[in-house]
Amino acid sequence: MTTRGTRSEKVKRIFQQFDANRDGGLNRDEMAALVVAVNPRVKFSDEQINAILDEVFRTYGEFIDGEKGLTYDGLLRTYDDGAGDVDRDFDALELELNDDNKGTSIEVEASSSSAVDERVVESQKKQRTAAWAVSPNHGIVFDDTWKIVDDLEILIKRLKAKQAKDGKFKADNFDAFSDAGWSRELGPSTEISEKRVFWEESGNDYAALVRELGGLRSRADGARSREEAFDGHMAIGRVLYDHQLFKEALVSFKRACELQPVDVRPHFRAGNSFYVLGRYKEAKEEFLLALEAAEAGGNQWGYLLPQIYVNLGIALEGEGMVLSACEYYREAAILCPTHFRALKLLGSALFGVGEYKAAVKALEEAIFIKPDYADAHCDLASALHAMAEDEKAIEVFQKAIDLKPGHVDALYNLGGLYMDLGRFQRASEMYTRVLAVWPNHWRAQLNKAVSLLGAGETEEAKKALKEALKLTNRVELHDAISHLKQIQKKKVKGNGGANGEGVLVIVEPSKFKTVNEKTTLRQDLANALQIRMFQRITRLSRCDVELLKKEMSEHDVPLSYSGGGVPEKSIRKPNLEEILRRLLNFLKPETFQGAVKAINERILSILDETGSGRVDLGMIYAILAPICSGNPDKRKRVAFDALLWRPVNEGGSQIKRADAVHYIKLLRAIYIPSHGVSEMLEVHGEEDSSTVSFKEFLVMFDDPDWGFGIMSTLVKLESGDRNRHGNCVCSVCRYPVIGSRFKEIKSHFSLCNQCYSEGKVSSAFKQDEYKFKEYGSEAEAMKDKCTCLPLQSRNDR
């Protein structure tokens, strides 16, 4: 850990290096030279240098000494706020400390409470404590607070020594968790996990600390003024936070909030503590209070606003609210254009909701400011891969790995990219490197097996699959192992006979016939499977359609006007995200993020063509209704009610025919894009002003050619997509048949849903045409086999 003494000495050496005229200040030219020197790999333009200098001289105006420029205290403050990395800059400038400063330490000598009154001089006091304690805005103000802090440091050191002796203290790198810098309190999960300290809280030693803490808090409460009591509790909280005693730190920060409710700092610190403890909702609430206080306090808290915005965004992401987080990251980046972490977080969040172009722009900005930012390189590469810029993505992933060889996300995602490109050997190498860093990463183990299989190394693939099965007992792995066995049996058969199994052909749709009305048409099934996949990703199939109706009745939305002057109940995307969170409140945050991304990419991108960031809420409800859970008739009724809820139809029992037509076309464009997009582009004559009743709406909705008649197929999939057909496997993919089974009546082979929808047939069964009968369950197949009734044919529609 960089001690305060060492840190200040390093900043002093940097300051002296660039104070060319020795006037005790860094003017714009001297500051520009410093910025360029500590970023040797960045080619700054004059405009960029001027923008950075403007920001520094504006933010740290209180440290500007007339024409002389930024003082030493001001430069120290910029580093305290996290605007730069002292150690990195010091090393980049190849500077050295004087010998008499190299041994400076923040260790506190063990002593009894009675001995603490023998205080050292002020300079020594400042050297032995953390950077925050002497900063102008976050520092300790009252002398009695220093005494409390010294006593607390002794108590913590004593607890650490006892727990280390008993083998209960779980952190050899305790001092590596440095003082919280510029919004780093909530740093990336990898950083936190590497540096987390885990205290044993159940023993007598810890209980003794808590009791002693109570005494220190009482001393703070007994101070001569409210301000001094506040100073004491804030200092206790900061010391506890620095030592990762987060629960106890939170108690102190909350007490400080009670003493000075309109002060930004205790709310901000309490929010950080809540976040680290995994209490994201409470963290968000504290950051919102801090934001409210900062905005009410004028310029006093201006320097802290970017940090509040960033940490509020991080807390929202913890709840799964990524669209909302984007808003706050954006605000932070506007307030402080050089805040590389805000830009990185913005880019990552935009990537998380499928806004790839915007994500690339933000991440490139972050990397421009901080070229060695491995996490930003990793997310930029992922965004480039999503945009199909694969070769460039490989380069950027490799850059992230060069910067941090054990970067798990970069290695794992690069493995996925190689898999997508069919470079299976390279993919397996990446997954092997992931497992070297993180041995129990079961997804990496599973993907390694798949990549080895793709590379033709079947035996190695089997070993990798068995290892994955040890890590997690998921049904997908059982199916994968079963699939491998089927492939091996198939190869043996193929080698023994001349049946040519193993080669498949794609049959044109006209050659696929259905035996009766109950057998789903191939194209209908393909479309329904796509919708079903969307249901699974968003989990909307677990959201009761009645909840949509409840949202419409309980939450009113103010009218807004579009460019055409038509009244709408439109809302911004982050507000829609809040509604989706209520509808999908059973989802974990990371699953909810995936749902929002899918909805944003598939639905909002079409409803918000202009990119205004606002969407018609009534139309959203109408589009979601058919794929929610509940009786199909009820879903259609709620869709109609949602259209009726819109201002253009509100107050009546019928909707405009033009609205109904527009809705059906939107529905098809979103869920059946192969047909819907061309229909959306059709140009019509004068607008139809007639209205339709619910009964007429149902006729339009159920039309198989121009409506959403595919819903009946979707409902069939919903009710039967977990059905297994005994030991029956698909003759093409060799996976167990789950859902419907399609049996060809002449050659008696069976296809699964997916292979039937794609028209795949084994080359061993070449026929002029194929006739299929659908079985929803094994019981249906057995019943049909027992009755042996002749099958009646019908022409393919």
Side-chain angles (χ1 to χ4, degrees):
M1 177 175 176
T2 303
T3 67
R4 178 66 185 180
T6 306
R7 181 185 177 86
S8 60
E9 286 301 324
K10 285 186 175 182
V11 176
K12 187 177 288 184
R13 289 287 293 110
I14 293 170
F15 183 87
Q16 291 168 349
Q17 179 81 3
F18 291 92
D19 183 15
N21 56 13
R22 296 291 182 268
D23 63 352
L26 299 179
N27 59 33
R28 289 182 71 91
D29 290 339
E30 291 166 342
M31 273 299 296
L34 192 159
V35 171
V36 171
V38 298
N39 293 282
R41 286 181 286 182
V42 182
K43 303 299 181 186
F44 290 105
S45 67
D46 291 341
E47 291 81 5
Q48 288 166 334
I49 286 289
N50 284 326
I52 292 170
L53 295 182
D54 288 344
E55 181 66 26
V56 171
F57 278 71
R58 179 182 64 79
T59 304
Y60 301 98
E62 62 187 293
F63 297 101
I64 303 299
D65 184 5
E67 294 297 319
K68 294 180 182 179
L70 187 71
T71 63
Y72 160 72
D73 287 336
L75 184 62
L76 182 60
R77 172 60 185 280
T78 66
Y79 282 111
D80 283 349
D81 285 351
D85 186 316
V86 177
D87 295 329
R88 191 196 70 170
D89 291 356
F90 194 81
D91 292 341
L93 296 170
E94 298 182 349
L95 299 175
E96 290 184 3
L97 289 174
N98 297 328
D99 290 341
D100 59 346
N101 290 316
K102 288 183 180 178
T104 307
S105 172
I106 62 165
E107 290 294 331
V108 181
E109 292 298 320
S111 63
S112 66
S113 297
S114 60
V116 177
D117 290 331
E118 298 176 15
R119 302 293 158 187
V120 292
V121 295
E122 188 70 17
S123 61
Q124 290 174 321
K125 183 191 297 180
K126 289 182 178 180
Q127 281 188 4
R128 73 167 182 269
T129 192
W132 60 265
V134 290
S135 74
N137 290 290
H138 293 288
I140 293 171
V141 178
F142 296 91
D143 286 338
D144 282 350
T145 302
W146 283 103
K147 297 174 185 178
I148 292 173
V149 165
D150 281 346
D151 284 354
L152 179 55
E153 289 281 5
I154 292 167
L155 292 175
I156 294 171
K157 186 174 181 181
R158 189 178 297 157
L159 175 66
K160 178 185 173 184
K162 286 180 178 178
Q163 291 204 350
K165 184 179 178 182
D166 296 339
K168 296 174 181 177
F169 189 79
K170 300 176 183 176
D172 294 330
N173 57 350
F174 179 83
D175 289 331
F177 195 85
S178 59
D179 180 56
W182 192 9
S183 299
R184 276 186 167 152
E185 289 88 346
L186 311 183
S189 57
T190 51
E191 288 183 16
I192 289 287
S193 63
E194 285 170 6
K195 300 175 182 178
R196 275 300 296 267
V197 172
F198 296 95
W199 295 90
E200 174 55 55
E201 299 180 6
S202 60
N204 292 330
D205 296 333
Y206 191 88
L209 173 75
V210 174
R211 283 195 301 274
E212 296 275 7
L213 262 177
L216 293 179
R217 290 189 181 116
S218 296
R219 280 168 58 185
D221 281 330
R224 287 162 292 185
S225 66
R226 197 178 188 87
E227 289 74 19
E228 188 171 341
F230 173 82
D231 190 50
H233 284 291
M234 282 298 291
I236 292 170
R238 289 301 303 271
V239 171
L240 291 167
Y241 188 98
D242 285 353
H243 288 284
Q244 299 197 48
L245 290 155
F246 299 117
K247 289 180 185 176
E248 302 308 323
L250 183 59
V251 174
S252 294
F253 291 137
K254 291 299 286 179
R255 176 66 182 132
C257 289
E258 292 170 6
L259 289 165
Q260 293 194 13
V262 295
D263 195 301
V264 174
R265 294 166 296 177
H267 292 297
F268 180 66
R269 298 294 164 190
N272 294 341
S273 303
F274 273 128
Y275 179 86
V276 179
L277 292 169
R279 295 160 67 177
Y280 305 129
K281 184 179 179 182
E282 291 153 301
K284 176 188 71 177
E285 289 166 357
E286 288 295 338
F287 288 135
L288 286 171
L289 288 170
L291 185 59
E292 186 182 330
E295 290 172 343
N299 293 331
Q300 179 186 3
W301 303 111
Y303 74 94
L304 194 55
L305 267 175
Q307 295 185 48
I308 298 171
Y309 281 131
V310 165
N311 289 7
L312 178 52
I314 294 170
L316 283 163
E317 278 205 67
E319 287 191 290
M321 307 289 284
V322 185
L323 284 171
S324 302
C326 286
E327 296 288 296
Y328 291 108
Y329 296 144
R330 201 173 275 117
E331 288 290 335
I334 290 168
L335 278 176
C336 186
T338 57
H339 199 322
F340 52 82
R341 188 152 183 262
L343 287 163
K344 184 268 174 191
L345 289 166
L346 174 61
S348 302
L350 288 166
F351 170 73
V353 293
E355 305 278 354
Y356 302 124
K357 285 186 180 178
V360 166
K361 185 178 178 183
L363 290 163
E364 285 178 341
E365 283 289 319
I367 290 169
F368 181 83
I369 297 168
K370 185 174 172 61
D372 61 349
Y373 205 164
D375 287 352
H377 281 92
C378 176
D379 288 354
L380 173 60
S382 297
L384 290 168
H385 176 44
M387 295 170 66
E389 296 185 31
D390 292 334
E391 291 306 317
K392 189 175 178 182
I394 290 172
E395 289 178 25
V396 181
F397 271 134
Q398 196 56 59
K399 177 67 176 175
I401 295 164
D402 290 344
L403 289 167
K404 187 176 178 182
H407 201 297
V408 170
D409 287 345
L411 292 166
Y412 183 84
N413 292 346
L414 181 54
L417 195 162
Y418 281 136
M419 286 261 280
D420 291 345
L421 295 176
R423 295 163 66 177
F424 299 112
Q425 196 62 51
R426 289 289 289 146
S428 70
E429 290 169 16
M430 292 302 113
Y431 294 127
T432 300
R433 288 180 66 179
V434 170
L435 291 164
V437 180
W438 191 345
N440 61 344
H441 196 309
W442 72 266
R443 292 185 188 279
Q445 191 72 59
L446 176 59
N447 284 348
K448 179 182 177 181
V450 174
S451 57
L452 287 168
L453 190 61
E457 299 181 29
T458 310
E459 287 305 313
E460 288 300 315
K462 275 175 70 177
K463 288 179 188 175
L465 261 183
K466 287 175 181 175
E467 285 299 318
L469 196 58
K470 289 178 188 175
L471 297 173
T472 179
N473 198 26
R474 298 171 75 95
V475 69
E476 302 101 290
L477 297 185
H478 289 282
D479 284 348
I481 290 172
S482 173
H483 179 236
L484 261 180
K485 288 177 181 175
Q486 287 292 337
I487 286 175
Q488 286 185 310
K489 284 180 186 175
K490 197 172 176 186
K491 281 183 179 177
V492 171
K493 244 187 205 176
N495 293 335
N499 58 10
E501 282 190 2
V503 181
L504 62 89
V505 292
I506 307 294
V507 178
E508 62 183 79
S510 62
K511 291 186 177 181
F512 262 38
K513 308 291 184 183
T514 55
V515 165
N516 55 33
E517 295 288 344
K518 291 182 180 179
T519 304
T520 307
L521 296 171
R522 173 176 151 187
Q523 190 55 49
D524 284 352
L525 181 62
N527 290 329
L529 283 170
Q530 287 295 315
I531 300 169
R532 186 75 185 109
M533 180 63 71
F534 181 70
Q535 278 182 312
R536 285 200 187 97
I537 294 170
T538 60
R539 307 306 201 275
L540 284 164
S541 55
R542 290 170 56 194
C543 171
D544 195 316
V545 74
E546 285 291 331
L547 291 175
L548 297 184
K549 201 166 182 178
K550 187 179 177 185
E551 280 288 334
M552 286 186 277
S553 62
E554 293 183 2
H555 297 90
D556 199 18
V557 178
L559 292 181
S560 57
Y561 290 85
S562 62
V566 179
E568 286 183 348
K569 288 181 177 178
S570 70
I571 60 172
R572 294 169 62 253
K573 287 183 182 181
N575 300 119
L576 174 62
E577 186 179 48
E578 291 174 13
I579 294 172
L580 292 172
R581 196 69 184 107
R582 289 197 294 269
L583 294 172
L584 300 169
N585 60 16
F586 50 86
L587 293 183
K588 291 180 180 177
E590 60 271 19
T591 313
F592 179 71
Q593 284 186 27
V596 170
K597 178 182 180 181
I599 290 168
N600 187 46
E601 287 182 314
R602 190 153 188 171
I603 298 176
L604 305 188
S605 61
I606 291 178
L607 291 185
D608 181 28
E609 283 183 296
T610 60
S612 67
R614 298 188 73 88
V615 287
D616 181 338
L617 186 57
M619 191 60 79
I620 288 280
Y621 286 144
I623 284 166
L624 294 181
I627 65 168
C628 287
S629 67
N631 182 284
D633 293 334
K634 194 180 287 184
R635 299 187 210 178
K636 296 171 193 176
R637 179 73 231 190
V638 172
F640 182 80
D641 289 344
L643 296 174
L644 207 57
W645 184 73
R646 300 170 74 228
V648 289
N649 299 310
E650 204 168 17
S653 60
Q654 297 190 336
I655 61 175
K656 289 184 178 178
R657 182 176 293 276
D659 266 5
V661 170
H662 181 61
Y663 164 67
I664 296 291
K665 287 186 175 180
L666 272 175
L667 206 57
R668 290 174 66 83
I670 289 166
Y671 295 128
I672 319 174
S674 58
H675 295 79
V677 173
S678 58
E679 292 165 16
M680 287 295 294
L681 297 174
E682 288 180 16
V683 179
H684 297 280
E686 292 183 17
E687 188 177 323
D688 190 346
S689 60
S690 63
T691 59
V692 295
S693 64
F694 177 57
K695 190 174 181 181
E696 291 168 313
F697 171 78
L698 286 179
V699 173
M700 296 171 67
F701 188 97
D702 292 331
D703 187 296
D705 298 316
W706 298 103
F708 200 64
I710 196 173
M711 187 171 166
S712 58
T713 305
L714 178 63
V715 171
K716 188 194 291 186
L717 282 178
E718 290 172 0
S719 61
D721 63 358
R722 288 184 180 273
N723 291 343
R724 286 178 174 256
H725 294 256
N727 295 321
C728 183
V729 298
C730 174
S731 67
V732 173
C733 70
R734 311 306 294 175
Y735 270 101
V737 175
I738 303 173
S740 290
R741 169 185 165 199
F742 293 86
K743 184 176 181 181
E744 209 285 321
I745 61 170
K746 182 179 177 183
S747 299
H748 304 295
F749 64 85
S750 295
L751 297 179
C752 65
N753 275 331
Q754 197 63 46
C755 291
Y756 174 78
S757 70
E758 294 171 3
K760 292 178 179 177
V761 173
S762 171
S763 58
F765 305 114
K766 282 190 177 179
Q767 297 171 198
D768 291 335
E769 67 175 25
Y770 301 84
K771 291 184 179 179
F772 289 95
K773 182 168 184 180
E774 180 178 356
Y775 296 109
S777 66
E778 187 62 16
E780 285 181 27
M782 290 299 294
K783 185 178 178 182
D784 190 54
K785 190 175 182 180
C786 292
T787 53
C788 296
L789 293 175
L791 302 170
Q792 299 297 316
S793 300
R794 70 176 175 91
N795 291 330
D796 188 32
R797 285 187 290 175

